[in-house]
Amino acid sequence: DSGVTQTPKHLITATGQRVTLRCSPRSGDLSVYWYQQSLDQGLQFLIQYYNGEERAKGNILERFSAQQFPDLHSELNLSSLELGDSALYFCASSVEGGSLYEQYFGPGTRLTVT
Amino acid sequence: AQTVTQSQPEMSVQEAETVTLSCTYDTSESDYYLFWYKQPPSRQMILVIRQEAYKQQNATENRFSVNFQKAAKSFSLKISDSQLGDAAMYFCAYRSALSGSRLTFGEGTQLTVNP
């Protein structure tokens, strides 16, 4: 158990819908990362937050957005869902935002868009 | 942009034998970190081993060791005395030391351990 929690574990929804994925980092970790794992794209970085502020952006679609709240939990919002958005979404956290620090992964949220 | 390539989609090994998984990467940076992650059927991402590019000595963690060839941009993982629990997808990953802390992953190698 990495100490990173993600809810829900599984999510099934229809095309065009909107969903919110939630992540709670390890106690004391200030930085949160979101990654997407799909059959087409493999594992790719979406976005990073550090202490409430966006730190880095990767291959995140405009239909997707994220935020980190004052209690440091983070949410990834996916809207106008398409079949291709079906994937495993991971959250990871680290103590600080720099590359020196290890990232600990949560168990992931499996999103299925039908 | 950095890229990571794993040219072996699948590998298999007999229990108690040794197997080597290959990884190459492309970067113009001189300071970075390399990782091997294991993803078992549970889908949890588990860090196996980490290598700092400035260190010449290859990292070792129990039965897991790496062969880091900086000039060749090669980073292979050797698993000794393979166990059934080693069966998983293995991902090689790169992280810059200077320009952000995102991980860039390879395509993965599915390792099967035969009893």
Side-chain angles (χ1 to χ4, degrees):
Chain A
D1 185 357
S2 66
V4 179
T5 60
Q6 290 186 248
T7 57
K9 270 189 173 180
H10 303 278
L11 198 49
I12 301 174
T13 189
T15 54
Q17 295 299 304
R18 172 190 170 94
V19 297
T20 297
L21 312 184
R22 182 188 170 103
C23 167
S24 293
R26 294 186 322 153
S27 177
D29 283 2
L30 298 177
S31 196
V32 169
Y33 305 77
W34 287 97
Y35 293 88
Q36 180 196 56
Q37 185 177 23
S38 66
L39 287 176
D40 292 342
Q41 304 290 331
L43 252 170
Q44 59 176 355
F45 167 76
L46 295 178
I47 197 163
Q48 177 198 1
Y49 277 81
Y50 174 72
N51 205 18
E53 299 289 327
E54 182 183 303
R55 174 65 68 91
K57 224 170 192 178
N59 299 325
I60 188 166
L61 300 171
E62 284 194 13
R63 300 184 285 108
F64 295 2
S65 65
Q67 55 184 326
Q68 186 179 26
F69 294 86
D71 68 352
L72 301 176
H73 91 272
S74 178
E75 293 181 357
L76 179 66
N77 300 297
L78 316 176
S79 62
S80 302
L81 285 167
E82 303 174 0
L83 295 178
D85 297 328
S86 296
L88 186 57
Y89 291 85
F90 284 108
C91 168
S93 74
S94 66
V95 173
E96 297 282 344
S99 56
L100 178 64
Y101 302 96
E102 223 52 79
Q103 293 179 29
Y104 295 86
F105 282 78
T109 292
R110 166 77 68 187
L111 173 65
T112 302
V113 182
T114 62
Chain B
Q2 296 83 19
T3 59
V4 178
T5 302
Q6 294 177 248
S7 58
Q8 305 156 316
E10 298 175 349
M11 292 282 286
S12 64
V13 63
Q14 290 297 125
E15 199 175 0
E17 297 294 306
T18 296
V19 64
T20 299
L21 308 184
S22 301
C23 172
T24 58
Y25 58 95
D26 188 25
T27 183
S28 58
E29 299 178 330
S30 59
D31 199 7
Y32 49 87
Y33 303 90
L34 296 167
F35 305 84
W36 280 97
Y37 281 87
K38 170 184 177 181
Q39 188 179 41
S42 68
R43 304 303 240 172
Q44 177 74 50
M45 293 292 288
I46 301 166
L47 177 63
V48 174
I49 199 164
R50 159 189 170 136
Q51 174 79 43
E52 290 85 351
Y54 64 85
K55 288 187 178 178
Q56 291 189 342
Q57 187 172 4
N58 290 323
T60 299
E61 288 288 341
N62 301 314
R63 298 182 294 107
F64 299 86
S65 61
V66 298
N67 184 5
F68 173 48
Q69 302 289 328
K70 192 172 184 179
K73 295 180 182 173
S74 169
F75 182 61
S76 61
L77 174 70
K78 186 171 83 171
I79 306 174
S80 303
D81 185 25
S82 296
Q83 300 175 359
L84 294 177
D86 295 334
M89 181 73 87
Y90 285 82
F91 291 96
C92 178
Y94 171 101
R95 190 169 82 207
S96 169
L98 298 173
S99 59
S101 49
R102 70 183 69 184
L103 289 164
T104 300
F105 290 91
E107 305 90 337
T109 296
Q110 181 68 51
L111 178 66
T112 300
V113 180
N114 300 308

